[in-house]
Amino acid sequence: MPKIVAFTIDGKKCQAAAGTLLVAAAVENGVYIPTLCNYPGIPPKGACRICTVRINGRLATACTTRVLPDMEVLAITPELEEFRASVVEILFAEGNHLCPSCEKSGSCELQALGYRYRMRAPRFPYAFPKRGVEAWHPKILKDHNRCILCKRCIRGIQNAQGKSLFAFGKRGDRLVINIDPETSRDASDDLVRLAVEMCPVGAILRKGQGFDVPIGRRKFDRMQIGSDISPQGGS
Amino acid sequence: MAQKKIIATASLAGCFGCHMSILDIDERILDLVELVEFNKSPITDIKSFTKECDIGLVEGGCCNDENVHTLIEFRRHCTILVALGECAIMGGLPSLRNEIPLAECLREAYIDGPGMSEANPAGIVPADPDIPRILDRIYPCHEVVKIDYSLPGCPPRADLIWEALVALVTGRELILPYDSFKYD
């Protein structure tokens, strides 16, 4: 039986098993800490910094930090929410995110965070980067315009032999996520479906299918992200 | 009764969907005409500003020099300028061409495109001074002039436009309801 530790989030008394990752511990206690690159069940990465909180006064990513006794966590403060909104705006400005033509629209977590922060226009200039669409793979379509490099697919999608379908290519601001042509060609439909679901944006899509959920019934059409964990998504 | 607020609207590199969404406020349009008067707008067909306006609603980004000219005119004549919809805010679907060099776009449209060898055997790319010159890329409105407010959506939901107009006309704080605040 793991040791139970007590800590606080925004003054609320919380409990979790020692060693639980803070975002998961927060969910167990009915507190939503916004996340984007994090995905339950796969190793955390701390890539997007959306989940940044103050722990005993210092900034840290809640997805990579494990709870310790008597931690004092600040999660939903004006300072941190403003910081998160700016990260969302950077991501929108840095890629080519054309929500009106995206199959993932309505179920996209980046978009849902934009809604959460009521982002009307990013404060940063649009980069309009030159990227491409890889449509030649038989089962998966990869739209690099929408990729936010969260690495969920690299961390979470392996075939039965444990081989990753996705890998990094290039470096720096030209970093891309490549698809392995062979493993993706032989991937099961379930694995492809999981890859599409795991991608927080519309960068990974299943070929031969799209817009299958009508507008109004998509994941975030009526439900603000995080509001299933805490009312109004903690804001 | 207080003086009616004056509104101007324009569609730049847009599809007129945002204007359709203005009309989609349904019977509230009867309340709207009590509150506001339209000046330069495709709705009134007034071609150029005949008075200074309180609110300008601009749909679409800038894809040619005529769009830029119109947008600057709007900035000059409107106290509050609102970017209406995704194209005005971020270029929208026309901005798909932003990663393609302009020469390549024109070549595809007028020379190499399907049927162009028959339709345009001389391979002429139109460059008449009467035709607006296409820009190197699509520019979101706020990259050309100062924009005071942005209303996202493709198109912005009628409820959102209504809320925003009422807030602007009456001076009350704008609430952005979750159900009508969308990017698609």
Side-chain angles (χ1 to χ4, degrees), chain A residues 66-117:
Chain A
R66 295 178 190 279
V67 287
L68 290 171
D70 303 322
M71 257 183 178
E72 285 178 20
V73 180
L74 293 178
I76 310 293
T77 66
E79 175 210 35
L80 292 166
E81 288 286 89
E82 174 56 23
F83 165 82
R84 291 181 189 122
S86 72
V87 173
V88 170
E89 291 173 32
I90 285 173
L91 290 172
F92 266 98
E94 170 259 12
N96 295 314
H97 297 281
L98 287 105
C99 295
S101 66
C102 180
E103 294 93 311
K104 199 66 173 273
S105 187
S107 304
C108 167
E109 291 177 42
L110 177 64
Q111 187 189 57
L113 286 169
Y115 294 165
R116 173 186 167 86
Y117 296 108

Side-chain angles (χ1 to χ4, degrees), chain A residues 152-202:
Chain A
R152 272 189 191 179
C153 53
I154 295 180
R155 288 177 282 151
I157 303 298
Q158 285 93 26
N159 66 10
Q161 289 74 44
K163 204 175 170 204
S164 286
L165 270 66
F166 302 91
F168 277 142
K170 302 184 185 166
R171 290 290 180 269
D173 65 354
R174 283 181 294 170
L175 186 71
V176 286
I177 288 181
N178 287 328
I179 304 179
D180 183 83
E182 282 166 31
T183 43
S184 73
R185 184 193 62 212
D186 301 334
S188 69
D189 284 353
D190 283 346
L191 191 63
V192 172
R193 222 172 276 129
L194 183 65
V196 173
E197 191 195 303
M198 202 174 275
C199 179
V201 290

Side-chain angles (χ1 to χ4, degrees), chain A residues 84 134 156 205:
Chain A
R84 291 181 189 122
E134 264 180 61
L205 298 171

